[in-house]
């Protein structure tokens, strides 16, 4: 069987990513001595020599970051960035209603427009998988003049979306539906185009399975949050994927969406603060437990970050049934988190 261009690119990337697994498989915070330190001593030295300002600048700028790595590991970077997908062409003149953007955050609206613009003309009914309120559906319905069926399990979003579609007299039908449960009969029609924007983990995997099962005409997908899956290990669906040597658990899957390129400055600052506080607590718990081992803590809710570092540590300790002494010098541990 001939391998497609995408299949060839997949195999090349698969090879290089698996060969350098030690560089990306390590979980953040768990170990101070990373396995790759031994076989990449120069890289270790250069990374640890970066001052804070340069490290932050590289963290925030993916182009500068790749350049920095390319100077040190040219072959690896060439192999990783050798393939780039065909640029996405704007195929469709969008028809946008005067109120379509109302109430949608700016970034979300840009994503909806970019997704809709990249579509070829669709001449079939469309199923919007996990549609939310159906912001994308409204733009696509106006532009393609095809009926759209929104599948969404949050009744509130179904009600709000239905109201908007009715107001604008759009041919959009909302279905209160759990997409992981048996689907309504109309989905089985092979002439449908399945479309999903930001359907997380198992939700988009399920769409791919259904599309294959129904032999549907077309699918358009921009997935996200690959780690939101019930499986401990990722199970590839494609033939080339099934041959891959790479084992991806949830934290490895999360790497794909961890980069901060699309995050606002506020979100980036929040992420950096979270990291400093996690590291500070980690230093503290190692001292209190007198053991040099990482102790995982649950995900951190926003309200915890608006309090003090001391209350954060007390919350984390309680979560892990750890008793903290009264005389802790929290400023010291905060500084250790920042170091
Ligand atoms: C990240 S949002 C994306 C919404 C929309 N596609 C967009 O891009 O604006 C994911 C949506 O999936 C819905 N959802 C989550 N689990 C679902 C399920 N099992 N069945 C149907 N919808 C689900 C959520 O309620 C949410 O509206």
């Amino acid at each position: 069987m001939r391998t497609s261009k995408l299949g060839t690119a997949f195999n090349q990337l698969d090879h290089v990513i698996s060969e350098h697994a030690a560089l990306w498989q390590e979980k953040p915070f768990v170990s101070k001595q990373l396995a790759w330190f031994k076989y990449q001593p120069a890289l270790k030295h250069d990374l640890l020599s970066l001052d804070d300002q340069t490290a932050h600048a590289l963290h925030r700028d993916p182009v500068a970051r790749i350049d920095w790595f390319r100077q040190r590991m040219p072959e690896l970077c060439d192999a990783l960035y050798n393939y780039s997908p065909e640029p996405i062409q704007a195929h469709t003149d969008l028809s946008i209603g005067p109120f379509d953007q109302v109430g949608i955050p700016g970034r979300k609206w840009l994503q909806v427009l970019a997704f809709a613009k990249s579509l070829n003309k669709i001449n079939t009914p469309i199923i919007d998988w996990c549609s939310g309120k159906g912001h994308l559906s409204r733009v696509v319905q106006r532009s393609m003049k095809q009926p759209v069926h929104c599948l969404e399990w949050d009744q509130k979003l179904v009600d709000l979306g239905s109201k908007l579609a009715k107001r604008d007299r759009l041919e959009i039908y909302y279905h209160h539906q759990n997409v992981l449960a048996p689907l309504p009969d109309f989905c089985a029609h092979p002439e449908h185009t399945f479309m999903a924007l930001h359907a997380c983990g198992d939700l988009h995997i399920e769409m791919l399975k259904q599309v294959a099962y129904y032999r549907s005409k077309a699918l358009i997908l921009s997935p996200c949050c690959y780690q939101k899956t019930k499986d401990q290990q990722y199970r590839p669906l494609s033939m080339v994927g099934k041959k891959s040597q790479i084992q991806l658990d949830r934290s490895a899957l999360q790497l794909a969406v961890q980069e901060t390129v699309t995050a606002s400055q506020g979100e980036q600052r929040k992420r950096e603060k979270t990291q400093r506080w996690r590291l500070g607590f980690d230093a503290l718990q190692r001292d209190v437990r007198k053991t040099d081992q990482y102790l995982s803590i649950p995900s951190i809710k926003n309200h915890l970050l608006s309090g003090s570092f001391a209350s954060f540590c007390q919350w984390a300790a309680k979560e892990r049934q750890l008793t903290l002494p009264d005389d802790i010098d929290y400023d010291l541990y905060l500084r250790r988190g920042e170091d």
Side-chain angles (χ1 to χ4, degrees), residues 108 111-112 128-136 151-154 157 175 177-181 195-200 203 224-225:
K108 173 110 209 149
Q111 287 169 349
V112 166
D128 186 351
W129 191 264
C130 302
S131 60
K133 269 193 237 173
H135 300 316
L136 174 66
L151 306 184
E152 168 59 49
W153 83 331
D154 184 334
L157 300 180
H175 306 263
Q177 174 70 37
N178 173 3
V179 296
L180 303 176
M195 162 178 97
L197 173 61
H198 292 167
C200 303
L203 301 176
C224 75
C225 300

Side-chain angles (χ1 to χ4, degrees), residues 29 56 269-282 309 312 333-334 336-339:
F29 306 117
H56 280 302
R269 275 197 298 273
K270 200 175 86 190
R271 185 170 290 182
E272 284 161 16
K273 184 172 185 181
T274 309
Q275 287 174 345
R276 287 196 302 274
W277 282 21
R278 269 183 184 278
L279 286 168
F281 175 74
D282 187 51
F309 175 64
F312 165 77
Y333 287 104
L334 186 55
R336 283 180 52 189
E338 284 163 358
D339 282 348

Side-chain angles (χ1 to χ4, degrees), residues 55-94:
H56 280 302
L58 290 173
H59 184 69
R60 289 181 182 150
D61 181 346
V63 175
R65 189 167 65 237
I66 292 167
D67 277 351
W68 188 93
F69 277 103
R70 201 184 283 284
Q71 283 163 29
R72 289 151 183 91
M73 309 183 83
E75 282 168 23
L76 173 60
C77 288
D78 283 349
L80 284 174
Y81 299 101
N82 183 13
Y83 168 76
S84 54
E86 308 271 324
I88 292 176
Q89 307 289 341
H91 290 295
T92 303
D93 289 332
L94 297 184

Side-chain angles (χ1 to χ4, degrees), residues 2 17 19 95 128 144 154-155 171-172 183 228 274 285:
R2 256 186 77 223
I17 289 172
E19 199 179 35
S95 162
D128 186 351
M144 305 291 177
D154 184 334
Q155 183 70 57
E171 212 185 334
I172 305 181
L183 297 177
K228 292 193 179 162
T274 309
Q285 68 79 16

